[in-house]
Amino acid sequence: MLIETRDLWKTYIMGMQELHALKGVNLQIEKAEYVAIMGPSGSGKSTLMNLIGCLDSPTRGEYYLNGESVSDMNDNELAKIRNKEIGFVFQTFNLLPRANSLHNVELPLIYSGIDTGTRREMASTALEQVELLEWAGHKPNELSGGQRQRVAVARALVNNPSLILADEPTGNLDTKTGLDIMKLFRRLNDRGNTLIVVTHDPEIAQFADRIIHIRDGEIEKEERRSGQVQDVH
Amino acid sequence: MRFGDLLRLSFEALRAHKLRTFLTVLGIVIGVTSVIAIISIVVGMNEKITSLINSMGTSTFTISKYGIEDYKSQEAYREARKRKNFKFRDALAIERDCELCEEVGAEAVTFRQLKYGSDKMNNVAIAGITSNFINMTEFEVAEGRVHSEFEQDRYAQVALIGDKIRRELYEGLDVVGRELKIGIHKYEIIGLAKPRGSMLGEDLDEFVLIPITTLLKNYGSNREIEIFIKAPSEEALAETIDQARVILRSRRHLDFQEEDDFAVTTAEEWLEFYGSVTGTIQVVAVAIPLIALVVAGIVVMNIMMVSVTERTREIGIRKSLGARKRHIMLQFLSEALMMSVFGGAIGIGLGILLAKALAGAGDLPFVISKLAILGGIFISTGVGVVFGLYPAMKGARLDPVDAMRFE
């Protein structure tokens, strides 16, 4: 079991009011699964993603990643988990504008203290996997949206994380480019990477093997699409 | 995170905003430059005055009707003026009766016009000294000699001149053997002093030395003289002073219960006096440029605050990729430090040059002091840490989720 949450709650205090973004979520995800978390905006799916991604801590409940209890880790331990276990892909790419593709991909490795030579090699390999090696020296503003997102995917891959977490990865891309990214995700999953895609778009969710519907901070229903591999042409 | 990566990161960030970095560094440069320049001059002045006072020797003391206390207020000075003047014969009495006194010298001073041919110099200090004066100080003769005891006993009309007199009246000439008119009296020049430079605009080479006997005969004997006494050693100083005092008290007919109506001053006491007079000025002189440094520090802080705000998203991204609080903090702190240390290094160099220029223009001594350089390094690093810490901490504390949402 890669991910297990037990009765996960997240409560925000807005003035005098308590706002429950998550109300007791129980979730289990196996290694090498491809899962979509779907829900309308305000459903709590982003909050769930932040918790799974160790960007935030739950108000209540337990979260185990690789059997380790994450819910009572401190900031530094969470940062280490993000660095080693999780690769993020964001809707807005979140690349550093002044750094070229190679350097952007290198970033997580800098924080693991890996030496320059090894870092270059690992980053190049990751860029090769998303077919962007020849763009290594280009800065984000010299790349198309699809290319930027592929750089972000390479950055997510570079540390060989247990989990790749994508938040609306196609939200800022046109349909065709979005489909390319989804094909790339499919390939990564086929190679054994665990993928969680958070989206509000049913078409994007269809690429996953399992769809978890979330509404009002609770899991509404789950669909399994075992055995079915959708062709995208 | 490796140290090299940290430095590269900070350097790149500074390079991305060249003008902003330049202006911030400039602030530090100005602050450090002024601190270094002032410290160099203050330290230089202290050293020069200390060496001037010590050139008299630490086992030598002076006796005069004026003591240090009498220079501290007008009333005290007016009171001291009423005291009986010392005469040359008082010095001779000490020389005769004081067993511990190794050397006894005396000096009387007057201000007169100098003349050579048609060239004149007004109001020059003429010091009448005993011939052993040269044994008691580190006074150095460049050419010729000081008058002898023989000449002193015979009221010889001979003079040793300071270098300024040579420059003004005898430029290009050999001075020894030439005539010099002091007031209405004619003298033969027998020596030239080694140049000593100047101090706070006062030329230390503008003087004439003649035998004390000659001075008293030519310009009036009813004038205050100062007595110099050399003790056999620093340890014997107190005992020697006592012996001399007893002799002078009896010559001045002081009763057992009366206080001394004269003052004994050691080199150490002159140094203390100098320190008490200039101490406050020195503190103020160093404090004012420190204000400039504080302003520079505030500029660093302001720029770092802007930098942190501007890069909120970057901080969020870095944190999502595994940067810890410490990493973010070090990133911004090292940026602030890089600017301040770089500015500090330039400031130290410029400060030394400025001190040199000021010293040249204003007759001030200066030394490249270790204190100034260490101070410059310490202060600029301190400014970087103190004023960089808050912005760096502010950046490090940002929540990754909120930071990434920041537009």
Side-chain angles (χ1 to χ4, degrees):
Chain A
M1 189 77 65
L2 181 67
I3 288 173
E4 184 174 9
T5 74
R6 289 184 202 151
D7 194 27
L8 213 54
W9 285 73
K10 184 69 187 181
T11 307
Y12 294 104
I13 314 254
M14 309 285 262
M16 298 296 285
Q17 245 184 330
E18 280 194 342
L19 199 103
H20 301 291
L22 290 180
K23 303 175 201 166
V25 171
N26 291 298
L27 187 68
Q28 277 148 20
I29 294 170
E30 298 283 351
K31 255 189 191 112
E33 264 197 283
Y34 186 172
V35 179
I37 296 176
M38 243 194 92
S41 62
S43 60
K45 61 182 192 306
S46 288
T47 306
L48 182 59
M49 191 207 88
N50 289 340
L51 291 186
I52 293 174
C54 297
L55 286 165
D56 208 349
S57 301
T59 313
R60 191 144 60 83
E62 285 160 79
Y63 170 25
Y64 295 92
L65 179 69
N66 268 330
E68 262 189 287
S69 171
V70 174
S71 27
D72 38 41
M73 281 186 178
N74 64 27
D75 281 356
N76 274 341
E77 290 166 320
L78 288 176
K80 196 172 167 190
I81 295 278
R82 289 198 294 270
N83 186 240
K84 305 254 185 241
E85 308 291 346
I86 298 164
F88 288 99
V89 178
F90 298 98
Q91 178 176 358
T92 51
F93 321 133
N94 281 352
L95 300 174
L96 296 187
R98 286 202 309 269
N100 63 29
S101 306
L102 190 74
H103 186 69
N104 263 299
V105 175
E106 264 183 346
L107 273 176
L109 303 175
I110 289 178
Y111 294 112
S112 352
I114 293 170
D115 69 88
T116 319
T118 317
R119 226 158 59 197
R120 289 277 140 83
E121 228 167 85
M122 289 171 79
S124 300
T125 310
L127 276 174
E128 212 167 2
Q129 285 187 56
V130 298
E131 291 158 6
L132 274 181
L133 191 54
E134 63 271 37
W135 295 86
H138 291 256
K139 291 184 178 172
N141 61 6
E142 297 159 354
L143 303 175
S144 71
Q147 286 173 319
R148 286 183 212 182
Q149 195 59 303
R150 271 149 65 200
V151 172
V153 171
R155 182 177 66 186
L157 284 172
V158 74
N159 239 356
N160 293 320
S162 315
L163 169 68
I164 293 172
L165 201 51
D167 183 13
E168 303 280 9
T170 60
N172 275 9
L173 302 174
D174 60 63
T175 319
K176 161 89 176 56
T177 320
L179 285 178
D180 286 344
I181 293 292
M182 294 324 287
K183 274 199 281 183
L184 176 60
F185 278 6
R186 189 70 258 171
R187 268 209 317 276
L188 293 176
N189 180 238
D190 290 344
R191 265 186 246 153
N193 286 299
T194 313
L195 276 160
I196 299 178
V197 176
V198 178
T199 184
H200 69 281
D201 184 349
E203 272 187 55
I204 296 300
Q206 291 307 312
F207 286 87
D209 300 328
R210 187 175 147 205
I211 304 174
I212 297 167
H213 292 267
I214 187 162
R215 184 179 284 275
D216 295 332
E218 287 171 300
I219 292 176
E220 192 184 35
K221 60 176 180 187
E222 279 196 35
E223 289 172 61
R224 260 182 203 280
R225 313 167 48 80
S226 49
Q228 257 184 283
V229 178
Q230 193 135 346
D231 201 278
V232 218
H233 281 291
Chain B
M1 194 175 190
R2 287 161 172 258
F3 187 62
D5 288 329
L6 185 67
L7 290 187
R8 199 171 315 134
L9 189 59
S10 305
F11 183 71
E12 290 297 328
L14 293 177
R15 218 178 54 170
H17 298 281
K18 289 193 189 74
L19 182 63
R20 185 200 282 183
T21 305
F22 168 75
L23 291 175
T24 312
V25 169
L26 187 64
I28 302 275
V29 168
I30 291 171
V32 173
T33 300
S34 44
V35 170
I36 296 289
I38 296 284
I39 291 180
S40 297
I41 283 176
V42 164
V43 169
M45 210 144 74
N46 283 344
E47 281 193 9
K48 178 128 186 190
I49 288 176
T50 305
S51 83
L52 273 182
I53 293 174
N54 279 341
S55 73
M56 207 173 95
T58 46
S59 59
T60 303
F61 57 93
T62 62
I63 298 176
S64 159
K65 73 171 177 177
Y66 301 107
I68 283 173
E69 291 306 315
D70 303 322
Y71 293 118
K72 287 187 180 168
S73 76
Q74 283 208 325
E75 296 88 76
Y77 185 76
R78 237 176 277 136
E79 275 309 301
R81 258 185 89 156
K82 291 179 195 157
R83 294 171 175 169
K84 203 157 56 166
N85 280 343
F86 280 113
K87 301 284 182 191
F88 185 45
R89 57 177 182 273
D90 291 316
L92 293 175
I94 294 175
E95 193 164 28
R96 190 180 62 230
D97 299 334
C98 174
E99 285 162 21
L100 280 171
C101 297
E102 212 175 77
E103 293 271 7
V104 179
E107 181 185 33
V109 178
T110 184
F111 291 85
R112 300 284 149 162
Q113 189 191 56
L114 301 186
K115 238 169 126 182
Y116 176 68
S118 55
D119 292 333
K120 287 177 198 158
M121 275 176 88
N122 282 323
N123 217 28
V124 177
I126 314 296
I129 53 161
T130 49
S131 55
N132 60 356
F133 177 80
I134 199 150
N135 308 332
M136 302 178 68
T137 70
E138 284 165 22
F139 187 81
E140 286 177 287
V141 175
E143 261 178 68
R145 56 180 183 86
V146 180
H147 62 265
S148 64
E149 205 175 339
F150 183 83
E151 285 165 320
Q152 181 179 313
D153 291 345
R154 282 156 189 78
Y155 308 95
Q157 299 285 117
V158 291
L160 178 144
I161 62 170
D163 200 60
K164 173 93 182 287
I165 317 295
R166 180 192 62 78
R167 292 199 305 268
E168 301 243 326
L169 298 182
Y170 302 94
E171 187 60 63
L173 301 174
D174 280 333
V175 292
V176 175
R178 290 197 190 269
E179 187 188 89
L180 171 68
K181 234 172 140 186
I182 305 176
I184 54 166
H185 301 275
K186 283 183 186 161
Y187 293 78
E188 183 197 341
I189 297 176
I190 55 167
L192 173 69
K194 223 176 185 180
R196 291 196 292 177
S198 54
M199 176 87 185
L200 291 171
E202 196 185 328
D203 203 308
L204 298 175
D205 296 316
E206 191 179 320
F207 63 88
V208 177
L209 300 184
I210 61 175
I212 186 166
T213 49
T214 313
L215 184 132
L216 295 172
K217 188 190 97 190
N218 289 346
Y219 308 105
S221 60
N222 191 23
R223 65 178 65 244
E224 160 73 1
I225 69 155
E226 203 173 346
I227 301 168
F228 295 83
I229 297 171
K230 191 173 175 194
S233 66
E234 241 184 294
E235 291 71 44
L237 193 60
E239 220 183 320
T240 313
I241 288 173
D242 271 346
Q243 252 187 33
R245 268 185 60 214
V246 169
I247 293 165
L248 290 175
R249 281 181 67 89
S250 94
R251 288 182 64 80
R252 289 164 90 89
H253 310 293
L254 294 176
D255 269 349
F256 179 67
Q257 69 273 36
E258 276 179 289
E259 283 188 27
D260 287 356
D261 63 349
F262 57 91
V264 178
T265 313
T266 59
E268 201 177 319
E269 284 165 335
W270 280 117
L271 275 180
E272 273 171 29
F273 175 59
Y274 164 74
S276 73
V277 171
T278 59
T280 322
I281 301 169
Q282 289 182 13
V283 168
V284 172
V286 176
I288 289 171
L290 278 177
I291 295 172
L293 257 180
V294 171
V295 173
I298 293 170
V299 171
V300 169
M301 189 155 166
N302 190 31
I303 285 301
M304 292 316 295
M305 296 296 275
V306 170
S307 181
V308 166
T309 309
E310 257 180 8
R311 284 147 73 191
T312 302
R313 253 178 89 87
E314 178 189 324
I315 294 170
I317 294 168
R318 288 181 182 277
K319 281 198 149 185
S320 78
L321 299 177
R324 300 179 191 183
K325 267 186 189 157
R326 170 160 46 99
H327 294 136
I328 302 296
M329 183 154 133
L330 283 176
Q331 178 185 342
F332 286 98
L333 198 57
S334 86
E335 257 175 58
L337 262 174
M338 226 178 236
M339 287 194 285
S340 58
V341 169
F342 182 60
I346 296 175
I348 290 170
L350 284 182
I352 289 170
L353 290 181
L354 180 66
K356 218 170 178 175
L358 283 177
D363 279 340
L364 296 165
F366 102 106
V367 289
I368 298 173
S369 75
K370 272 187 212 133
L371 174 75
I373 291 171
L374 284 178
I377 293 168
F378 179 77
I379 287 170
S380 57
T381 312
V383 165
V385 171
V386 169
F387 292 96
L389 200 60
Y390 176 72
M393 263 164 46
K394 203 176 164 233
R397 284 208 196 106
L398 287 174
D399 178 72
V401 177
D402 293 340
M404 273 192 291
R405 245 184 246 139
F406 185 85
E407 292 296 333

